Amino acid sequence: MQVNYLWTCASADGSTCTLPDAAANQQLLLGASDLAAASFKLETDYTFTLTAGFTGSAVTSTASTVVRFARSPLRAALAGPSGDVPATKNFTFDASKSSDPDNPTTSLKYDFSCSPQPCFSDVTYTGVRPKQSSWMVDASQLSAINQPYTFTVTVSGTAAGDTRQATASLTITPRPGNPPTGTITRFCGYDATGNLAACLAKHNPTQDLLAILRLDPDFRSASVQWVNAGGQQLQEGVNAQGTPSTTLTVHPTAFPTAGAVILQAVMRMPGVNGTASINVPLNNPPNCPQAPCFFTDINSTVFPAYTFVGAASGWSDADGDVLTYEFGQMSNGDYRALQPAGPSTTYTFRGFEPGSYQLYACAIDTSGARTCATAPIQVQQPAAVTPADKAALVESSVTKIDVEQLASTGDVSAVTDAMQEIASLAAFSTSPGLAAKQNALLTTLTTVMNPNDPGAMATSLNAADRVSDAGTAALTPEAGAALLNVTDAFVTSNADAAGVTDNQVNTATKVLVKGLDAAYSSPTNTGSQGRRRALLATSTASISAYNSLTSTLSGLMSLMAAGTPTGGSKTLGTSDVCMSVARESPLDGSLDSRQLIVDCSGGSSTAAAAGHRRRRSLLLDAPGATSVTMPDGFSAACATDPVCNQTDTTTVSQSYVSDPGTILGNVTNWPHASLVPGAQSGTQLTPISGVLTFSIGAKTTGPICSTANCTATLTIPVAGYNPDLSTTCLRLDPDPTASLAASSVGVAVVPSSITGTVISSVNCTSSQLGQVVAVQYTPAPGQGPATSPSPSPAASPQEAYAGVDDSPLNASDVGQPIAFSFKFENYNYNEMFRTADGRDNTTALDDFKESEGVFLGRHC
C-alpha cells in the first residue's frame, strides 16, 4: 500500500513554520534557501513532527524531534601584503570579504591590531581607516626594519546577544630598497560568480592545501621558489617542466600533526630578493583513539542471503564538533559512498557478489574534516554450481524485491540499496525478471531522489552507475532517460561545487554516456555509407538528447572549473565524452599561442566495458587527443574584455564527444551540401570526427576575441579519412527554437597527423567559439580537394592517354567538367585499388571497370 508522509514544525513560542513542498516525503531536507524562506529564528528550539499513514486509511502514526538552529561561526578574511615589503610604502589590509554565513548581508564589526608592540615608532600613530573593514598603514612608521609584524583583524557580530568572533592575520617584514612583492592566498575553489570562494578558518588536514602566489605588477618576471617553515624547498611548487610555479599543492602527508602549515615563496629579481608568506591553521579531524573504530557484525557469509551491519564506535572531535558518519565501499583506492553522511552510527550493507571487499566508515566534523576506518568482509559462493542453479537462485532473489513498495516509501536509501543488490545478482547470473527490475529501479530512483541533497545524490549516482553496468541486458529508453535525469540532478545538487571530486565527475560522465546510449539509440551502421544512413535516421531524434548532453556537460565543466586554480588545468571523462578546463591569468600572456589538450583516449568505452551493445549510430573510433591552440595576442585582448577577464583569470573549456550522432541528429539543415561552398549538388556530408566544443568563461558562442585576426587552431582526431573527398569543418550554431543550424567555419582543413598513408587528425581554424565537427564531401566538378594527400602507388604504371583535347581553354570553360579517356598499361588493377591495410577493394575496382575509364577531371 502507498504510504503518505507529512512534516510539520512549530517553534517553542507556538508559531508554525512554513516548510517546502518536499515536506510530503519520507525525508525532509532544508537547504539554505528553505531556512531563509521559513524565517527560522536562531538559537530557538523547533519541534519537527512526521505523520505517516496508508492511502485511504484514517489511522496514522507520528514521531517528533527537537532541533535548535545554532549560529554558524563567522568567517574572517584579510587581504593585503605578506612577507617582505618596501619600508617606505603605504599598505592596506582589507577585511571586507569577511562574512556571516547565516546572513551574508549583515553588518559586522572590525577591530584591527598589530604585534609585537610597540608596532609604530610614534605611539600616537593609528593609520588610516578608508572604511570600517580596512586599515591603511605607512610602513615607514613601523618601529624597525627587517623585523616581522603581524596585523590582525577581529570580526564580531553586531546583533544583540551575538558573541561570535573570528580572526585573520597577515605578517609583513619591512625591508630597505624595493624587494619583489606578492600575496599568497589559499585556494578553496570559485563561487558561482567566478570569484574566489571563501575558505574555512581552519584547513581540513585530510585535503590537499592549494596556495596561489599573485606577484605584484612590477615583479611578474620574478622567479619563484617555495619553501617550508624550515627553509626547505618544496618540490610540490615545481611544475611538470621542472620550472617553479606560482601555484603550490601541499598533500596531507606533509602536514604537521597539529597546529599550522607555514609556507613561504621566495621571489628573485636581479640583485634583490623578497618573500611572501602564509600561515594556515589546521583543523583537528575526528579521532578514534582505540580500535575497533569500525566493525561488522559478521565477517563472512554466503551469497545472496546476507547482510552486514557496520558500526562506527569510539569517535570524538577535539574541537567539540558534532560528528556525522558516512558508510561505503573502497573501490580501487577510492571511497565510494553507499550511505551519505548522517547522524546514525550504523548501516546495513548489502549488494555484493561473491568475493572479498573492504568496507569503510568515515567520521566527519562540521568543517568537513574526515577520518576513516575500514573493515574486511568475505562473500562466499553458494552451493549452486550449475548455470541453471545460479539462474534459479537469482530469480528467487529478484522476485523478493518489490519496486512498487520501495517507490511508495519515498526512501531514496532503500531504493539505492535495492539497486546495489540487483547489481550483485546481475553480476552473478541471469534471470528472466532481472532486466525488468534493473530498468524499473532506475526509473523509480528519479521519483525519490532529492536534487537538493548533494550527499544523497552522490550515493544515487553511484547506485545508478553500478546497476546500469550490471549484466548484459539492454537498458530501455525510459531507463536511459532516468540516467540522464540522475546526472543532471547530481550537477544541480552541487551547484556550489563544494566537495565534488574528480572521481565523481568521471562517474557522472559515465552515467551520462550510458543514458544517451539507451535513451537515444538507433541501429549500428559501419562504413561511410552506413554512417550517412545512420545520420539521416537520427535526424528525427528528440532535441532532448542534445539538451541533456550540452547542459550536463556545461554543468560538469563548471564543477571542474570551480576546483581549478589559476595556472592549473584538468581533464576528466571517458573516451566517449572527454572534458578539459584550464584557468590562467590573461595578464601574464600565458595563454598566447598555448596548446590546450583534451585527451581521454586511454579510457575505455563505458558501454562496451559494461557488456552492453553499442546502439548509438556514429561512434567513430578516432583515437588521439583533441586540442585548441590559442591565438597569438589572445591575452592582451582578453585582459581588456570584462566578459573574458573575470577577477584577473579566464577559463578555457573544451569537451569532445566522440559520437556526433546525438548532436548532428538535431541540426535542422543537416546534411545539405549547401552548407559547404564548392560541394557537389546533392552530395551527402560524412562526419569523420566527433564534436569539439570550445568556450571561454561564460561565453559559448561568438568571437574568440574582440580584436581582428584572432583565430584558434582546432586539432581534431578523424577516422575513415578519404583523400579523394574534400574536407572541411562545420560550426554548429544554436538556434532560438532550441535546435541547431550548421554553417561552414570557412577555412580549409589541413591534415595535422599522417602515419604512412593514414591521416589520423586534421587542423581547422576558427575565429568563433562553439561546436565544431570535421566532415567530408564530394566536391563539385573542378573543385577538387585542396588538401588530400594520396598514398604513393606501389609501382609506376606506364600511362598512355587517348582522345585528349589539347586545345586552349576559354573563359567559358572555367569551372566546367573536363572529360577524357585513359588506360593503364602493364598495371595490376587489384594493386591499384588495394586499401591501406593491404585488402583488395573490390567495390572500388568494380566501379572503376564500370566507368570504362571515363572520369571527370577533378584532379586536374
Side-chain angles (χ1 to χ4, degrees), residues 753-760 836:
S753 179
I754 304 176
T755 304
T757 60
V758 179
I759 294 176
S760 57

Side-chain angles (χ1 to χ4, degrees), residues 219-408:
F219 306 107
R220 285 184 178 145
S221 61
S223 63
V224 178
Q225 183 182 56
W226 291 91
V227 297
N228 60 17
Q232 298 172 314
Q233 181 178 357
L234 298 173
Q235 290 301 314
E236 294 89 347
V238 178
N239 61 25
Q241 291 72 38
T243 304
S245 170
T246 55
T247 301
L248 173 72
T249 301
V250 183
H251 303 298
T253 53
F255 294 161
T257 55
V261 177
I262 301 175
L263 302 172
Q264 282 190 338
V266 180
M267 301 162 286
R268 293 185 171 89
M269 296 285 286
V272 61
N273 296 340
T275 63
S277 62
I278 188 172
N279 187 314
V280 182
L282 290 176
N283 179 27
N284 291 304
N287 180 45
C288 180
Q290 185 173 357
C293 303
F294 172 55
F295 58 91
T296 55
D297 57 341
I298 55 175
N299 295 327
S300 178
T301 190
V302 178
F303 179 88
Y306 69 89
T307 56
F308 296 91
V309 179
S313 176
W315 294 91
S316 63
D317 187 81
D319 298 321
D321 289 355
V322 176
L323 300 180
T324 56
Y325 300 89
E326 175 188 290
F327 296 89
Q329 174 194 350
M330 299 298 297
S331 177
N332 298 321
D334 181 38
Y335 291 88
R336 195 173 180 89
L338 299 175
Q339 175 70 14
S344 176
T345 58
T346 62
Y347 173 67
T348 301
F349 293 86
R350 57 174 58 87
F352 300 100
E353 57 265 28
S356 299
Y357 302 93
Q358 284 285 339
L359 307 181
Y360 76 83
C362 292
I364 307 170
D365 67 14
T366 54
S367 297
R370 59 172 56 207
T371 307
C372 304
T374 61
I377 61 166
Q378 178 76 32
V379 180
Q380 301 174 14
Q381 289 280 359
V385 292
T386 68
D389 291 338
K390 289 184 176 182
L393 185 64
V394 168
E395 183 65 17
S396 173
S397 299
V398 167
T399 56
K400 298 176 183 178
I401 299 176
D402 188 339
V403 178
E404 290 187 4
Q405 190 275 332
L406 289 171
S408 70

Side-chain angles (χ1 to χ4, degrees), residues 20 51 59 100 109 117 154 158 166 220 223 258 307 316 383 407 451 454 571 581 591 652 744 749 757 826 841:
T51 302
V59 179
D100 179 356
K109 180 184 178 183
Q117 292 290 340
T154 300
T158 57
R220 285 184 178 145
S223 63
T307 56
S316 63
T571 298
V581 297
L591 282 170
V652 180
S744 174
V749 175
T757 60
N826 301 323
N841 192 336

Side-chain angles (χ1 to χ4, degrees), residues 508-730:
T509 308
K510 287 174 56 184
V511 174
L512 170 67
V513 171
K514 288 182 286 190
L516 290 170
D517 282 342
Y520 306 100
S521 61
S522 60
T524 301
N525 291 277
T526 57
S528 60
Q529 293 294 333
R531 285 196 297 270
R532 292 187 183 118
R533 288 191 296 269
L535 189 57
L536 291 171
T538 59
S539 63
T540 58
S542 170
I543 193 68
S544 298
Y546 172 74
N547 289 337
S548 296
L549 178 62
T550 55
S551 64
T552 304
L553 283 182
S554 176
L556 290 174
M557 287 191 290
S558 294
L559 296 181
M560 292 168 61
T564 303
T566 302
S569 62
K570 185 178 293 186
T571 298
L572 299 173
T574 71
S575 58
D576 292 326
V577 175
C578 188
M579 302 166 293
S580 176
V581 297
R583 188 185 291 273
E584 294 287 354
S585 170
L587 304 178
D588 59 10
S590 57
L591 282 170
D592 291 346
S593 302
R594 170 96 170 269
Q595 185 182 34
L596 305 173
I597 297 174
V598 185
D599 188 2
C600 296
S601 58
S604 61
S605 171
T606 54
H612 291 297
R613 179 170 61 91
R614 169 65 64 185
R615 299 192 297 166
R616 286 181 296 150
S617 61
L618 283 164
L619 183 68
L620 300 177
D621 186 16
T626 64
S627 69
V628 171
T629 301
M630 298 296 291
D632 186 25
F634 169 80
S635 295
C638 180
T640 59
D641 181 354
V643 178
C644 181
N645 179 20
Q646 296 182 326
T647 61
D648 291 343
T649 68
T650 191
T651 304
V652 180
S653 303
Q654 302 175 66
S655 66
Y656 184 70
V657 181
S658 63
D659 181 348
T662 301
I663 296 176
L664 296 183
N666 294 287
V667 178
T668 56
N669 58 349
W670 183 272
H672 302 308
S674 59
L675 293 172
V676 181
Q680 181 172 296
S681 177
T683 187
Q684 299 287 346
L685 302 181
T686 302
I688 58 172
S689 77
V691 178
L692 173 65
T693 301
F694 171 38
S695 60
I696 296 175
K699 290 177 59 177
T700 57
T701 60
I704 297 173
C705 307
S706 57
T707 57
N709 302 319
C710 183
T711 58
T713 300
L714 315 180
T715 301
I716 307 177
V718 297
Y721 185 94
N722 185 345
D724 290 330
L725 297 178
S726 289
T727 311
T728 192
C729 283
L730 294 181

Side-chain angles (χ1 to χ4, degrees), residues 39 79 113 175 187 201 225 287 294 340 342 485 507 646 692 702 777 780 800:
S39 300
S113 61
R175 302 288 190 188
F187 176 76
Q225 183 182 56
N287 180 45
F294 172 55
N485 288 336
T507 300
Q646 296 182 326
L692 173 65
Y777 59 93

